[in-house]
Amino acid sequence: MSKTILIVEDNKLNMKLFNDILQAQGYNTVQASDGGTFLNLVRERKPDLILMDIRLGKVSGVELTRMLKTDGK
């Protein structure tokens, strides 16, 4: 079974690059371009790894990581 990686990136070119490289290596990918969908995707898909951009638009990747740690779900 292939591992799933959640890519959190707001730059479309970077998102495509990460996605293409990871899929070429056999990983399943899930994508979020902002913090609004991030926690829902984590809960729904339960990724094996999260590739997080730290410089997002409204909420930083560091803050999203803190939110995930305190969420506990």
Side-chain angles (χ1 to χ4, degrees):
M1 179 183 246
S2 190
K3 301 288 185 177
T4 299
I5 299 176
L6 171 56
I7 305 166
V8 185
E9 174 62 65
D10 59 349
N11 180 291
K12 289 181 183 182
L13 185 60
N14 288 346
M15 177 69 83
K16 181 171 177 15
L17 176 66
F18 295 141
N19 186 67
D20 291 352
I21 290 171
L22 292 168
Q23 285 186 352
Q25 295 299 314
Y27 295 100
N28 294 318
T29 60
V30 181
Q31 302 173 3
S33 59
D34 60 61
T37 57
F38 168 71
L39 284 176
N40 288 334
L41 283 174
V42 169
R43 290 178 189 137
E44 291 171 9
R45 300 297 298 270
K46 300 190 184 341
D48 298 292
L49 179 74
I50 300 171
L51 182 62
M52 177 72 73
D53 182 1
I54 61 170
R55 298 170 95 191
L56 296 169
K58 295 180 182 179
V59 179
S60 77
V62 173
E63 185 59 32
L64 287 176
T65 303
R66 284 187 189 122
M67 290 168 58
L68 180 61
K69 285 182 173 183
T70 60
D71 184 58
K73 292 183 182 176

